[in-house]
Amino acid sequence: MNYANKLVPGALYIVSTPIGNLEDITYRAVRILKEADLIACEDTRHTRKLLDHYGIQTRAISYHEHNESARAADLLERLRDGQSIALVSDAGTPLISDPGYRVVAQAAAEGVPVIPIPGPSAAIAALSASGLPTDSFRFCGFLPAKSSQRRRLLESVAADSATLIFYEAPHRIVESLAEMREVLGPRPAVVARELTKLHEEILRGTLDDLASSVTGRGEFTIVVGKGEPAPESDEPIVEAVKRLERAGVPRMEAMKTIARERGVSKRDVYRAMEDDR
Ligand code: SAM
């Protein structure tokens, strides 16, 4: 089927919308939003501003994390009846740290056509302007709210040889950057703030610089460069930790340092120490 220019009946369209600047929407997205039978959005009042801006009168209903399961069933029934539905989120690409997974997974499983209408996403916008390697990257989404879980996640990606991308809420940016600095070391990083908006800022430096300088309001995407490759060493991990201990470094600190130097997780170092007992 040629999906290019005709609205497909009974299809679920995943429509990307602006992350700030209302001009960042494709002609095709506007057309699909106009022609669809229904728009499913996170917050109807929020999306209405975009729809009004482009003179789109299509009916909008809510689809968000609190009604996702009931609403997915309702949307699937409409799709089976041949209605075409456009799914949008408050900003950027739906499903990317946004609702939509449930309905897309079910639609795909049932053979309902799922058609992406590509457009903005803060992660890709930040990465593309970061100046950090783009050949391989890992999107980590939002860090967990709890500090212990946040550290665990950071440790699990510390040895990854890809550029890392995180979303962060403004009230946690300072804390998260400090923890990133601690767990990931002083790597090159970029904080992209308020992309496409009036006060857009792209701050570059090391995690050290950024952890001590970034504060504030707005929306933030953090891009972290890969760590330096661990120096080749024949010295077993346990011996390396013991060497630091003999030099007066406390055990926990020694384990952290060796994990960072070797590009392995703290858990791996801990396990090696346990196995050695
Ligand atoms: N689906 C969206 C996308 O494709 O980018 C992301 C939605 S997620 C709920 C919102 C997070 O994305 C924000 O907390 C922030 O980390 C990031 N973000 C969204 N808009 C941004 C912007 N204009 N500048 C920087 N980061 C942004």
Side-chain angles (χ1 to χ4, degrees):
M1 191 176 311
N2 175 7
Y3 289 155
N5 295 319
K6 272 209 165 129
L7 191 81
V8 178
L12 177 62
Y13 286 89
I14 313 303
V15 182
S16 297
T17 60
I19 55 168
N21 190 322
L22 286 186
E23 287 187 10
D24 292 332
I25 188 163
T26 67
Y27 291 117
R28 186 167 174 228
V30 172
R31 181 175 58 77
I32 296 293
L33 291 172
K34 279 187 177 159
E35 292 177 0
D37 295 302
L38 191 67
I39 298 172
C41 46
E42 272 189 276
D43 175 348
T44 47
R45 273 186 304 179
H46 179 93
T47 296
R48 186 48 64 195
K49 287 182 205 144
L50 175 75
L51 302 182
D52 287 348
H53 186 81
Y54 286 99
I56 298 164
Q57 281 160 8
T58 311
R59 188 161 89 86
I61 59 167
S62 68
Y63 176 88
H64 47 67
E65 55 180 335
H66 304 297
N67 70 1
E68 202 170 336
S69 138
R71 195 56 110 185
D74 169 47
L75 294 179
L76 278 160
E77 212 168 297
R78 292 169 191 264
L79 289 162
R80 283 184 216 113
D81 286 348
Q83 291 190 30
S84 12
I85 298 176
L87 176 73
V88 300
S89 61
D90 281 353
T93 301
L95 280 86
I96 307 303
S97 293
D98 266 341
Y101 170 71
R102 203 178 286 257
V103 67
V104 170
Q106 287 178 14
E110 286 191 25
V112 168
V114 180
I115 305 175
I117 308 295
S121 186
I124 298 298
L127 176 68
S128 68
S130 69
L132 295 171
T134 54
D135 54 332
S136 167
F137 60 88
R138 177 168 180 163
F139 175 63
C140 306
F142 285 100
L143 285 171
K146 268 197 170 166
S147 173
S148 55
Q149 291 173 2
R150 231 168 21 225
R151 276 170 184 269
R152 217 169 298 139
L153 190 136
L154 289 171
E155 280 162 15
S156 75
V157 297
D160 208 317
S161 62
T163 295
L164 305 172
I165 307 175
F166 300 90
Y167 285 159
E168 194 45 286
H171 62 278
R172 270 206 298 266
I173 185 83
V174 174
E175 213 178 328
S176 286
L177 283 170
E179 273 173 5
M180 284 181 187
R181 158 69 187 90
E182 237 175 86
V183 180
L184 304 176
R187 303 184 183 192
V190 167
V191 171
R193 179 173 169 266
E194 293 285 272
L195 288 169
T196 79
K197 303 186 198 175
L198 191 61
H199 298 293
E200 175 178 283
E201 263 185 315
I202 299 184
L203 305 159
R204 302 166 205 280
T206 62
L207 277 174
D208 247 353
D209 308 328
L210 296 167
S212 56
S213 62
V214 173
T215 54
R217 285 188 238 130
E219 299 204 270
F220 295 92
T221 297
I222 306 165
V223 187
V224 181
K226 31 188 149 186
E228 290 296 314
E232 287 292 325
S233 170
D234 291 339
E235 186 182 30
I237 282 182
V238 172
E239 292 310 315
V241 173
K242 287 183 181 167
R243 175 173 47 77
L244 290 184
E245 280 188 290
R246 282 196 298 276
V249 180
R251 172 164 283 212
M252 287 310 284
E253 203 49 47
M255 291 201 299
K256 267 197 237 171
T257 306
I258 295 305
R260 196 180 306 142
E261 278 181 17
R262 300 291 174 95
V264 298
S265 71
K266 270 197 314 197
R267 198 177 308 165
D268 287 342
V269 176
Y270 184 77
R271 273 205 206 109
M273 299 301 290
E274 287 285 290
D275 290 348
D276 186 56
R277 285 215 289 185

